[in-house]
Amino acid sequence: MKFAPDWFMYFIVFWAVVMVGAMSIGGFFMFRKFLKVLPMRDGKSKLDWQNYWVERSRSMWTDDSKQLLDELVSPVPSAFRDIAKHSIAAKIGQVAIEHGASSVTREHCIEGYIRATPKRDYRSLVSFLDRQGIDYGPYKHLLNK
C-alpha cells in the first residue's frame, strides 16, 4: 500500500489549521452577540434597550438627521454598517429624549455618536470628524472619560 505524499499531508494540516482558526473567529463573534442578549440587572438586555430607544425616538428623526447618521456610519465596513447604525441611532435617540427635544438635531447626533463609540476607537472617531469638518468642541469632555 502506497502512502500519501508529504505535500498532501502538509495540505491537510494547513486546512485543519485554517478551519480551526475560522471556527474560533466565528465563535468569538457569536459569543459577543450572546453577551448582548443576556439580561442586565433591570431585566432587559442591551439589545432590548437599543430597540426601546430606537422605537421611542423614531418619530423625532428628520431627513437632515438621518442623512447625518448615514454620513457618520460611512467609515464602518458595509458588513457591519446596519448593526452600527442601529446602535448609534439608539444612543442618539436616547440623548435626544433625555434632553427633552422634540426632534433629533445635529448636536444630538454628534453627542450620541461620540457616546456610542467605544473608547478604543476614539482616535479614528476624532480623525473622521476632523476630515468631515464636524465641530465636536462642545463634546471634547466626553472623549476624556
Side-chain angles (χ1 to χ4, degrees):
M1 186 166 181
K2 191 174 179 181
F3 290 103
D6 287 341
W7 66 267
F8 186 71
M9 296 306 286
Y10 291 129
F11 180 74
I12 290 176
V13 169
F14 168 76
W15 277 111
V17 169
V18 168
M19 291 301 293
V20 167
M23 290 190 319
S24 298
I25 292 169
F28 171 75
F29 285 107
M30 287 176 62
F31 185 69
R32 282 184 58 200
K33 185 72 169 184
F34 171 73
L35 289 177
K36 279 185 145 185
V37 177
L38 288 177
M40 296 186 295
R41 289 185 182 154
D42 59 5
K44 287 188 173 185
S45 70
K46 191 174 184 178
L47 288 177
D48 290 338
W49 278 113
Q50 284 180 359
N51 291 336
Y52 170 78
W53 290 115
V54 167
E55 288 302 318
R56 186 145 177 234
S57 66
R58 187 172 301 277
S59 63
M60 298 170 63
W61 287 86
T62 63
D63 290 336
D64 291 337
S65 58
K66 288 178 186 177
Q67 184 179 357
L68 181 58
L69 177 62
D70 289 337
E71 183 181 333
L72 292 174
V73 297
S74 64
V76 177
S78 59
F80 307 108
R81 195 168 292 151
D82 289 339
I83 296 167
K85 188 175 182 179
H86 186 265
S87 63
I88 292 170
K91 187 57 81 170
I92 291 170
Q94 179 183 0
V95 166
I97 290 169
E98 287 175 351
H99 283 121
S102 59
S103 65
V104 175
T105 64
R106 183 176 182 84
E107 288 74 26
H108 296 135
C109 289
I110 295 169
E111 182 179 350
Y113 180 60
I114 292 172
R115 289 182 185 269
T117 303
K119 194 172 191 170
R120 67 179 180 270
D121 296 334
Y122 280 172
R123 184 177 298 146
S124 61
L125 172 131
V126 168
S127 67
F128 173 73
L129 291 175
D130 286 338
R131 275 194 317 263
Q132 297 297 321
I134 297 173
D135 179 30
Y136 60 94
Y139 311 105
K140 279 191 178 182
H141 66 281
L142 296 175
L143 297 170
N144 295 329
K145 285 187 178 182

